[in-house]
Amino acid sequence: MLPTLSELLGSARVVALPLVTRFRGLDTREALLLKGPEGWAEFSPFAEYDDAEAVTWLRAALDFGWQVTPPLLRERIPVNATVPAVTAEEVPGVLARFPGCRTAKVKVADPGQTLADDVARVRMVRRVLGPEGRIRVDANGLWNVDEAEHAIHALNEFDLEYVEQPCATIEELAEIRRRTGYLDVGVAADESVRRAEDPLLVARTGSADILVIKAAPLGGIHAALALINQTGLPAVVSSALDTSVGISMGAHLAGAIPELNFDCGLGTASLLGADITADPLLPIDGGIPVRRVTPDPELLDRYAAADDRRDWWLARLTRCYALLTD
């Protein structure tokens, strides 16, 4: 049974948290938090997503706040550092926010930057991590096939673990995988899973070696686990620049996966300049614990969104609830 809309609106709190470094073009991360019988949950689809896409994020929040989570197979999750499209000189400072992390995901293909900028950034990450560190890059689908092939060759000297969503379409992913297969650099699919009408298609077509799984845009922990089991591909659980409440959902998902072969992208609370709890899920010794997070009332008040933004999020919640119950 779904909670009523009045129940959701009654517990809803909207926050606006500052970011340490500009990320995805954002300086502030907004989120709507809900309190369910199993604990707090987060509804925070990015503002540009329409209601048809955002409703899946609401389904995930209700799954986490109102349903019992699957049994845990591990209580601690190894996580990667996340390096936004900063200058090479800024890289050491960013990595210092992820103590103990031996894997770094580096954003590349940022609009307004060049491949030379990407190479310099990844070179600095390799210098800081040393030869034993693992590096993966994420293009968010912004390269075409020829650009991706050129970039992967240029970055290959840094011993990449894999390249995430180098191109936008499944067909392009399959082509770049064919062109660069001899380099032994894996291709991971993110947007081709979480924003696809058929999330299984990327696996059926052999277009990726690895799946990047985010619980919120896939409808929650139970739906994400079912998808992983159906594809048979290794999964990397990641977050969507969530508060510690949202990261807690990702940690519970990672804790329930039978095989966890890669460090997870669940250290992104380090990119927030503030959080909704005095005990955030920040990386310590390269990992985070699997636990529920309860927001601090004082912090909810301190970082409460402006009235117009609060009203925008509550209206969005109302519309998405109507779609969910239609």
Side-chain angles (χ1 to χ4, degrees):
M1 294 290 292
L2 290 175
T4 65
L5 178 59
S6 61
E7 286 181 73
L8 298 183
L9 292 172
S11 71
R13 298 295 302 268
V14 182
V15 295
L17 303 177
L19 300 182
V20 173
T21 303
R22 191 170 178 82
F23 194 83
R24 284 181 57 106
L26 300 173
D27 297 307
T28 303
R29 180 66 167 123
E30 295 180 339
L32 187 154
L33 304 176
L34 300 163
K35 186 178 182 181
E38 296 298 324
W40 284 83
E42 179 172 332
F43 172 61
S44 58
F46 292 104
E48 67 268 23
Y49 293 0
D50 63 21
D51 292 346
E53 185 168 3
V55 68
T56 308
W57 296 60
L58 179 57
R59 186 177 291 112
L62 299 183
D63 178 70
F64 191 50
W66 276 259
Q67 301 295 325
V68 175
T69 55
L72 293 177
L73 301 177
R74 60 191 64 82
E75 297 182 351
R76 182 174 170 79
I77 309 301
V79 301
N80 63 257
T82 299
V83 180
V86 297
T87 65
E89 292 75 19
E90 294 174 289
V91 164
V94 173
L95 291 176
R97 301 185 66 85
F98 298 85
C101 293
R102 298 304 302 158
T103 301
K105 179 167 87 168
V106 186
K107 290 291 186 177
V108 293
D110 195 63
Q113 296 194 1
T114 66
L115 180 56
D117 296 321
D118 295 337
V119 169
R121 186 179 313 114
V122 175
R123 177 180 288 113
M124 181 60 76
V125 172
R126 173 55 69 202
R127 184 176 302 168
V128 174
L129 291 184
E132 300 301 318
R134 294 176 292 273
I135 297 176
R136 56 187 71 155
V137 298
D138 181 9
N140 288 115
L142 294 175
W143 287 323
N144 62 39
V145 174
D146 290 338
E147 290 169 337
E149 183 179 17
H150 180 56
I152 291 170
H153 278 92
L155 296 168
N156 189 52
E157 65 173 289
F158 305 113
D159 189 23
L160 299 182
E161 183 179 40
Y162 62 75
V163 56
E164 180 178 330
Q165 201 71 44
C167 305
T169 70
I170 288 177
E171 294 77 15
E172 289 174 320
L173 290 184
E175 175 62 15
I176 195 61
R177 190 166 178 254
R178 184 189 66 79
R179 291 193 193 184
T180 61
Y182 70 95
L183 294 174
D184 196 30
V185 176
V187 172
D190 176 10
E191 286 88 348
S192 291
V193 177
R194 64 180 170 88
R195 304 193 73 178
E197 291 185 9
D198 180 3
L200 292 171
L201 185 60
V202 70
R204 286 202 304 268
T205 56
S207 302
D209 305 286
I210 302 157
L211 301 182
V212 177
I213 298 294
K214 296 175 180 174
L218 289 173
I221 293 175
H222 294 88
L225 277 176
L227 176 66
I228 293 168
N229 291 334
Q230 289 178 64
T231 64
L233 291 175
V236 179
V237 179
S238 191
S239 68
L241 198 58
D242 306 324
T243 74
S244 282
V245 169
I247 289 174
S248 173
M249 178 169 65
H252 278 81
L253 170 59
I257 294 174
E259 293 187 32
L260 199 63
N261 300 312
F262 297 91
D263 291 349
C264 292
L266 296 173
T268 51
S270 293
L271 299 176
L272 299 175
D275 209 331
I276 45 71
T277 171
D279 188 20
L281 286 175
L282 295 170
I284 298 175
D285 296 330
I288 62 170
V290 183
R291 61 174 172 83
R292 291 269 183 178
V293 171
T294 299
D296 184 320
E298 190 274 330
L299 292 173
L300 288 176
D301 290 340
R302 186 188 306 177
Y303 296 106
D307 289 352
D308 62 327
R309 296 305 301 159
R310 178 202 62 205
D311 293 345
W312 185 91
W313 276 98
L314 295 179
R316 190 186 206 188
L317 171 62
T318 301
R319 296 193 308 272
C320 287
Y321 184 86
L323 290 175
L324 195 61
T325 57
D326 191 10

